[in-house]
Amino acid sequence: MTLPAGLRVARLSRRLASGLYEFLILLALVFIATLPFSYLFGDATHGWKRHLLQAWVLLVIAAYFTWFWTRGGQTLPMKTWRLRLVAAHGGSVTLPRALRRYVLAVLGFATLGAGFLWALVDRDRQFLHDRLAGTLLVDAPSDASLPS
């Protein structure tokens, strides 16, 4: 793959470290999102309420990721690890592309992480959802290296 000028694909180790940090943020987000649901619907451990809660959590997480990916290309963990999500051509990520990446990432995670393990055999070390969605996780400049 030919990268747009000035962009460099982030190392797999940094992407995985950012993913671990992201998991902790998502854990807190899920707790916060579950609270109003529990007040409205009560016990959601069985039946249709359980499925509704699962759909609600997936929707909240989708909103979190697509919001940040389409507004600057970085979540808090991505900023910490100096990563940025861009479209394959180097531009900003659009909402449809962000949603596609999210759905594909969820499917890749649901298949015992096969979409993430794909990076071990991919020629560019991309996750499968990035390859299919036309996105790249690239190195982002630190704030100190930006011109003032």
Side-chain angles (χ1 to χ4, degrees):
M1 167 197 312
T2 306
L3 288 174
L7 294 181
R8 191 175 78 196
V9 174
R11 288 191 336 257
L12 182 59
S13 59
R14 285 188 39 234
R15 289 183 283 154
L16 292 175
S18 175
L20 180 61
Y21 184 6
E22 198 77 69
F23 175 75
L24 296 173
I25 300 284
L26 289 177
L27 192 60
L29 181 66
V30 168
F31 279 127
I32 292 168
T34 303
L35 187 63
F37 186 93
S38 297
Y39 281 129
L40 287 173
F41 296 102
D43 180 29
T45 56
H46 297 86
W48 67 271
K49 289 181 184 179
R50 178 179 180 187
H51 299 299
L52 187 60
L53 175 60
Q54 291 169 339
W56 169 248
V57 166
L58 286 173
L59 183 68
V60 167
I61 294 172
Y64 164 79
F65 279 122
T66 57
W67 174 266
F68 285 104
W69 289 342
T70 58
R71 287 164 181 75
Q74 293 178 296
T75 61
L76 178 62
M78 293 167 75
K79 286 181 182 182
T80 302
W81 286 94
R82 294 188 325 270
L83 303 173
R84 181 177 309 279
L85 183 69
V86 297
H89 56 77
S92 298
V93 176
T94 61
L95 181 60
R97 189 178 302 270
L99 287 171
R100 188 175 328 125
R101 182 179 194 264
Y102 173 74
V103 169
L104 291 167
V106 167
L107 293 173
F109 184 76
T111 55
L112 302 176
F116 293 87
L117 293 172
W118 175 264
L120 298 174
V121 297
D122 187 85
R123 69 180 179 273
D124 299 316
R125 297 288 186 236
Q126 280 194 1
F127 297 129
L128 185 57
H129 52 271
D130 283 318
R131 170 87 49 207
L132 296 175
T135 56
L136 296 167
L137 275 172
V138 297
D139 290 328
S142 65
D143 291 340
S145 66
L146 294 175
S148 43

